[in-house]
Every structure is written in structure tokens, then in C-alpha cells.
């Protein structure tokens, strides 16, 4: 699982900064498999899948998670060793409607990569909502509907 944001184990959908982007991840690599179908806490009856041990992670940032051409158009693939979190600084991200995706590749000791991409984060959301105008008719002649108009709100 790859999560957007600097808080370990928590996935952010929005952030204020347009100059940095962080991510954290887990569920790659060696796992403990119970021999008898349940975890006991006893290493003698559990086997570790060493063939799935992670050697290093490579992280990139892009504007589209489905295309290889845009998975790394913001931050090129970067080897982060065995770290399970990373922050990239001095970026120039567009605020508003753009999504940014963090792509993590885990390379095992057998050189077989596993890959996971975040669900995306939007940047530049820190100023709240700028008020606009709401218009309601002074007289309402219906007991089943009300017409309300608004304009000029920004976030």
C-alpha cells in the first residue's frame, strides 16, 4: 500500500504545500507464513519467505498513474534504500485540480520488482473557501421547492 503524505500509515487527499510531496508505504517483501494455518508468535512453527526480502525501493512522482510516460514526470525514479517513507522538496507543483501520484517499486533479492502507486493527492489547499454571493428570492410561493443561486465561491 502506498500512501500520500508524511504521516506514517495515513493517506492524505489534499495538502497545502506546492513545493514538497511526501509518501509512505508498507506490505512489500518478506512475510511470515504460518505452518499450521495460524500465527503463533513462535518462530519455530512459522516460516519466513526470504525469497521475498526487499533489497531497496525506487520512488517516483508523476501526474498520471496509468501511463509509464507520466509516472515519473515530476520526480525521476529515485533509489531510497530500505526507507519506507520519503519527502521530495523544492518541487513546482500546480495547485488546484491536478493530482500527483507516488509510484513505489520494491526490488527483492531475487531482482523481481513489485510495484504500487498511490491514489493521488491534490496540492495548494490551505486558504479555505473564499465567500461568494447567495441569492434567495424574498418570497417563496411553493411548499415543495426553493430556488437558491450562488456564485463567486473559490477554494
Amino acid at each position: 500500500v502506498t500512501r500520500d503524505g508524511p504521516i506514517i500509515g495515513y493517506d492524505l487527499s489534499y495538502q497545502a504545500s506546492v513545493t514538497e510531496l511526501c509518501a509512505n508505504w508498507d506490505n512489500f517483501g518478506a512475510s511470515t507464513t504460518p505452518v499450521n494455518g495460524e500465527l503463533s508468535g513462535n518462530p519455530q512453527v512459522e516460516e519466513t519467505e526470504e525469497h521475498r526480502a526487499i533489497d531497496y525501493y525506487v520512488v517516483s512522482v508523476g501526474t498520471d498513474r496509468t501511463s509509464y510516460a507520466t509516472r515519473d514526470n515530476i520526480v525521476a525514479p529515485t533509489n531510497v534504500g530500505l526507507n519506507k517513507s520519503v519527502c521530495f522538496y523544492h518541487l513546482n507543483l500546480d495547485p488546484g485540480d491536478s493530482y500527483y501520484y507516488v509510484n513505489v517499486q520494491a526490488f527483492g533479492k531475487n531482482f523481481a520488482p513489485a510495484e504500487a502507486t498511490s491514489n493521488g493527492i491534490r496540492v495548494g489547499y490551505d486558504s479555505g473557501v473564499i465567500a461568494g454571493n447567495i441569492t434567495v428570492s424574498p418570497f417563496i410561493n411553493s411548499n415543495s421547492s426553493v430556488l437558491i443561486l450562488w456564485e463567486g465561491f473559490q477554494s
Side-chain angles (χ1 to χ4, degrees):
V1 175
T2 301
R3 299 176 201 89
D4 301 296
I7 304 168
I8 304 299
Y10 189 75
D11 184 46
L12 298 179
S13 298
Y14 303 95
Q15 73 174 31
S17 177
V18 295
T19 60
E20 68 182 60
L21 194 63
C22 299
N24 64 92
W25 57 91
D26 58 24
N27 291 341
F28 287 101
S31 63
T32 302
T33 304
V35 174
N36 294 328
E38 61 182 77
L39 291 172
S40 69
N42 184 347
Q44 285 78 24
V45 289
E46 296 171 355
E47 300 172 348
T48 302
E49 299 175 14
E50 290 299 327
H51 67 281
R52 293 180 56 193
I54 300 301
D55 230 9
Y56 60 94
Y57 296 100
V58 173
V59 182
S60 61
V61 178
T63 55
D64 186 352
R65 63 189 285 176
T66 60
S67 169
Y68 284 107
T70 53
R71 282 189 186 178
D72 62 2
N73 60 340
I74 302 299
V75 176
T78 305
N79 186 328
V80 296
L82 290 173
N83 292 316
K84 290 187 177 183
S85 65
V86 66
C87 288
F88 296 105
Y89 301 98
H90 309 293
L91 302 174
N92 187 18
L93 305 174
D94 291 327
D97 293 334
S98 298
Y99 280 92
Y100 295 93
Y101 302 93
V102 178
N103 187 55
V104 177
Q105 292 179 301
F107 289 87
K109 296 194 182 287
N110 65 357
F111 302 107
E115 186 172 2
T117 304
S118 72
N119 62 354
I121 189 167
R122 294 170 118 181
V123 301
Y125 287 88
D126 65 345
S127 60
V129 176
I130 298 171
N133 298 312
I134 298 175
T135 306
V136 180
S137 175
F139 300 101
I140 300 171
N141 59 3
S142 171
N143 61 2
S144 62
S145 64
V146 176
L147 177 64
I148 300 174
L149 304 172
W150 65 89
E151 66 182 357
F153 287 87
Q154 296 177 348
S155 67

